[in-house]
Amino acid sequence: MRTNLKSKKLCSASAELIGGNDFFLGLILVRVPVRSVVRFKSVSKQWCALISDPQFRRRHTLENPSSRIPLGLHLYNPADSMEDTVYSISRSNSEGKIPLCLDPAVLTESIPINYWRDLLSRETVMRMIQSCNGLNLFRFNSFERDRKAYYVRNLVTHEIKSVPSPKLDSRFYEWIVTFVLAFDPLASPHYKVICATASIARVVTSKFMIFSSETGRWKDTNVTMDGHELQYGKGLYCHGAIYWIVRNTQSCYRFDIEAKNLTKISFPPKASGSGFRHFVESNGHLYIVCVVDCAQKNLNVYELDEVTMKWVIKHRVHINHLISSLPHDFGNGGNLQKCHSIHSILSVLRGEGEEDTALLVNISGKVVLYNLQSKKVEVLLSELRWNSVKGGATIYLGEPPFIPAYPFVATLHPIFHNEHNKYNQQSGIGALG
Amino acid sequence: MRSISRWMRRILAKVIEFCMKHAESLDPEELDAWDDDFFKMDNSTLFDIIKAANYLDIKSLLDLTCKTVANMIKGKSPEEIRRIFNIKNDFTPEEEQEVRMENQCALEHE
């Protein structure tokens, strides 16, 4: 009898010991998905301290493969670049809804009262311009040219850090052509930002610079290119390099961050012209989506083979098949005849493996996830209402610019920077500059 | 010689059972299935095995047991967690509210 009571007490003593011990807790919590871990901060002060610790958070990101898989998408109205409302679209198997990042993070710097600012109230809002493995790059647009400010944010932990703007040479009217975040937690706890600026000496030339969060400084590279076409391109980070796609010139550039060189990659031939639809990175893979026929009934999904540096066709999508896979109660009063085309390709989302690659599309205002392998369809959002200045719900058609859609990856990874001790970081509102 | 308590004997038996199975079988599928069955145990045994595996430095057992506990606690409310681990809530109601508010936007749960 006594032994039994004793063993009962000892057993719960194990639970207590483990629950109060950072070492064991760390081993367990590092395997718990982000959403639950964040909630466990409320358990006790010790748990809160452990979960907030930057070293734990980094370990959590490294050990959790789900910290690299997109849970959904943040989307701006592609037809209206003036509108700053962010829409969030979650995969239904993700844990809960992804955060809306609409709060324009309050900036601590005082912004001078400006006639233009009052007129264009969007000046106070940051706009997401890139998502990269869990960190997001935002741009705060100011009407005054030299006050475009860039911020790196983790939307799960609410951390924000400004990226200092490189010094621009006003003699040659130097301006920022492209700004791309490079962050890969598996490669380094720090992030880099690659910036190209252009100036008019005799001809327009773009030059490349790299910012490292480890040093907190910009460094010039010797890389230059003619013209400034990257200004019209979309840049994405993947495995140590930045890739730009420029729609108008059908060009694909690759900037190797370590080697500091710029190369050109041939564009998939069928993706040229008005067929081009999207350029996306997901879980370490780069995709181009394009429509290959005039009737817009066939899509090709290309993936970049990083060994051969060639775009390889991976999936062919027949729109009719997609439409026919839609549930009967899809919409238009059951009249599927009206949904004869996809209105916009929102993204390609890749999960753990190839079989988990899906196309996210907007069909008549409904967002649908189409698994490219199983060909199964899932309706994610039944109503995407764009409030357009043009009035009424705008259905976006025709040749798109780059769709402002950003995959959301949930990670606890801290935004390390050099200003403090490496393992000490500011949370909440960061100091500017 | 100090006698090993019945409880300790039980835990060690489990550890040995695990080690022997993983030593004799190489088929990952078979091991996965066996592991699933093996870890169907009560919480207190799980925690005891964590301690034992750590002490005996058996990494694979430690990893798997921690993963099992992680899967068991995910999705639970803070109150349920406190019950499992016998943790005292040392937040004042205001502090707890603050922490909850801070993390509110981050992945609201259904």
Side-chain angles (χ1 to χ4, degrees), chain A residues 272-411:
Chain A
S272 33
S274 58
F276 181 89
R277 283 291 176 269
H278 214 343
F279 172 46
V280 172
E281 183 273 337
S282 190
N283 202 1
H285 296 257
L286 289 165
Y287 299 98
I288 282 181
V289 184
C290 64
V291 161
V292 290
D293 58 337
C294 307
Q296 301 195 35
K297 289 216 179 282
N298 288 290
L299 286 175
N300 278 357
V301 179
Y302 294 88
E303 187 180 328
L304 183 71
D305 180 329
E306 287 178 277
V307 175
T308 61
M309 279 303 153
K310 286 199 167 13
W311 289 97
V312 171
I313 182 158
K314 267 303 173 82
H315 304 274
R316 281 176 233 269
V317 180
H318 300 291
I319 301 204
N320 287 338
H321 185 273
L322 202 172
I323 303 275
S324 65
S325 308
L326 292 170
H328 293 299
D329 59 348
F330 189 69
N332 289 332
N335 182 5
L336 282 176
Q337 305 307 55
K338 290 208 173 144
C339 315
H340 61 282
S341 68
I342 291 176
H343 289 129
S344 46
I345 309 296
L346 298 180
S347 193
V348 177
L349 298 179
R350 187 191 162 100
E352 290 250 28
E354 179 103 40
E355 65 285 355
D356 248 323
T357 315
L359 204 61
L360 206 62
V361 294
N362 172 8
I363 301 180
S364 303
K366 295 189 205 291
V367 179
V368 166
L369 194 73
Y370 178 68
N371 188 308
L372 291 165
Q373 196 124 330
S374 71
K375 316 261 192 251
K376 289 217 170 68
V377 155
E378 208 185 309
V379 180
L380 291 191
L381 193 66
S382 53
E383 209 68 56
L384 197 61
R385 282 183 187 279
W386 305 121
N387 293 321
S388 166
V389 277
K390 299 170 189 66
T394 312
I395 296 181
Y396 186 71
L397 286 168
E399 278 183 36
F402 291 107
I403 304 278
Y406 308 98
F408 173 71
V409 169
T411 158

Side-chain angles (χ1 to χ4, degrees), chain A residues 82-108:
Chain A
M82 296 282 282
E83 204 209 309
D84 281 312
T85 313
V86 184
Y87 301 83
S88 65
I89 299 164
S90 313
R91 299 181 79 149
S92 51
N93 61 355
S94 75
E95 305 194 311
K97 297 206 167 83
I98 65 179
L100 296 177
C101 61
L102 25 84
D103 57 331
V106 174
L107 300 174
T108 50

Side-chain angles (χ1 to χ4, degrees), chain A residues 16 79 91 94 126 153 165 179 197 217 238 257 290 385 388 404:
Chain A
E16 257 184 66
R91 299 181 79 149
S94 75
M126 283 194 220
R153 288 172 74 175
S165 279
F179 217 79
T197 61
R217 277 194 286 275
C238 187
I257 300 174
C290 64
R385 282 183 187 279
S388 166

Side-chain angles (χ1 to χ4, degrees), chain A residues 111-373:
Chain A
I111 300 163
I113 304 298
N114 187 315
Y115 169 72
W116 296 109
R117 191 171 74 89
D118 292 334
L119 191 67
L120 306 164
S121 59
R122 57 189 273 262
E123 298 296 305
T124 56
V125 178
M126 283 194 220
R127 198 172 158 108
M128 195 186 304
I129 58 174
Q130 190 201 345
S131 91
C132 186
N133 290 321
L135 293 186
N136 293 279
L137 187 66
F138 279 75
R139 182 173 58 208
F140 169 68
N141 279 327
S142 169
F143 194 72
E144 299 146 48
R145 201 156 59 126
D146 58 355
R147 282 171 42 82
K148 265 194 180 45
Y150 294 88
Y151 297 87
V152 175
R153 288 172 74 175
N154 180 326
L155 297 175
V156 173
T157 63
H158 305 298
E159 284 171 289
I160 177 169
K161 184 80 182 75
S162 73
V163 183
S165 279
K167 284 201 156 46
L168 302 173
D169 193 339
S170 52
R171 293 172 305 165
F172 298 110
Y173 308 99
E174 191 175 10
W175 74 98
I176 291 178
V177 158
T178 176
F179 217 79
V180 185
L181 174 66
F183 172 66
D184 186 351
L186 295 180
S188 161
H190 287 275
Y191 61 89
K192 293 200 158 93
V193 180
I194 281 74
C195 170
T197 61
S199 49
I200 309 175
R202 253 184 315 121
V203 291
V204 179
T205 321
S206 296
K207 75 176 207 293
F208 290 78
M209 295 186 271
I210 302 179
F211 170 84
S212 161
S213 69
E214 204 168 353
T215 61
R217 277 194 286 275
W218 286 99
K219 228 175 154 189
D220 280 325
T221 66
N222 292 327
V223 184
T224 59
M225 67 180 263
D226 294 329
H228 63 112
E229 68 179 289
L230 292 186
Q231 188 160 350
Y232 311 107
K234 175 176 177 182
L236 292 174
Y237 170 83
C238 187
H239 292 145
I242 306 279
Y243 297 81
W244 283 274
I245 295 273
V246 185
R247 277 207 63 225
N248 326 23
T249 58
Q250 257 91 70
S251 315
C252 177
Y253 291 93
R254 176 179 189 269
F255 179 83
D256 189 314
I257 300 174
E258 198 65 26
K260 297 187 186 49
N261 62 20
L262 186 73
T263 47
K264 225 176 160 178
I265 296 178
S266 53
F267 209 70
K270 288 224 176 104
S272 33
S274 58
F276 181 89
R277 283 291 176 269
H278 214 343
F279 172 46
V280 172
E281 183 273 337
S282 190
N283 202 1
H285 296 257
L286 289 165
Y287 299 98
I288 282 181
V289 184
C290 64
V291 161
V292 290
D293 58 337
C294 307
Q296 301 195 35
K297 289 216 179 282
N298 288 290
L299 286 175
N300 278 357
V301 179
Y302 294 88
E303 187 180 328
L304 183 71
D305 180 329
E306 287 178 277
V307 175
T308 61
M309 279 303 153
K310 286 199 167 13
W311 289 97
V312 171
I313 182 158
K314 267 303 173 82
H315 304 274
R316 281 176 233 269
V317 180
H318 300 291
I319 301 204
N320 287 338
H321 185 273
L322 202 172
I323 303 275
S324 65
S325 308
L326 292 170
H328 293 299
D329 59 348
F330 189 69
N332 289 332
N335 182 5
L336 282 176
Q337 305 307 55
K338 290 208 173 144
C339 315
H340 61 282
S341 68
I342 291 176
H343 289 129
S344 46
I345 309 296
L346 298 180
S347 193
V348 177
L349 298 179
R350 187 191 162 100
E352 290 250 28
E354 179 103 40
E355 65 285 355
D356 248 323
T357 315
L359 204 61
L360 206 62
V361 294
N362 172 8
I363 301 180
S364 303
K366 295 189 205 291
V367 179
V368 166
L369 194 73
Y370 178 68
N371 188 308
L372 291 165
Q373 196 124 330

Side-chain angles (χ1 to χ4, degrees), chain B residues 2-66:
Chain B
R2 275 248 229 107
S3 62
I4 301 177
S5 71
R6 201 178 307 162
W7 156 78
M8 209 184 290
R9 226 177 291 158
R10 191 167 57 86
I11 302 300
L12 283 176
K14 280 268 170 202
V15 172
I16 293 168
E17 191 191 340
F18 178 88
C19 293
M20 290 193 61
K21 180 66 187 179
H22 278 248
E24 79 183 23
S25 168
L26 289 172
D27 177 12
E29 270 186 41
E30 188 201 336
L31 280 178
D32 275 346
W34 188 90
D35 287 341
D36 278 343
D37 220 36
F38 176 77
F39 284 110
K40 289 192 171 108
M41 50 180 77
D42 56 271
N43 286 357
S44 42
T45 315
L46 274 177
F47 294 131
D48 286 331
I49 292 192
I50 289 182
K51 280 166 61 188
N54 177 58
Y55 182 73
L56 296 168
D57 201 16
I58 306 170
K59 192 172 186 307
S60 57
L61 178 59
L62 184 59
D63 281 349
L64 281 170
T65 322
C66 286

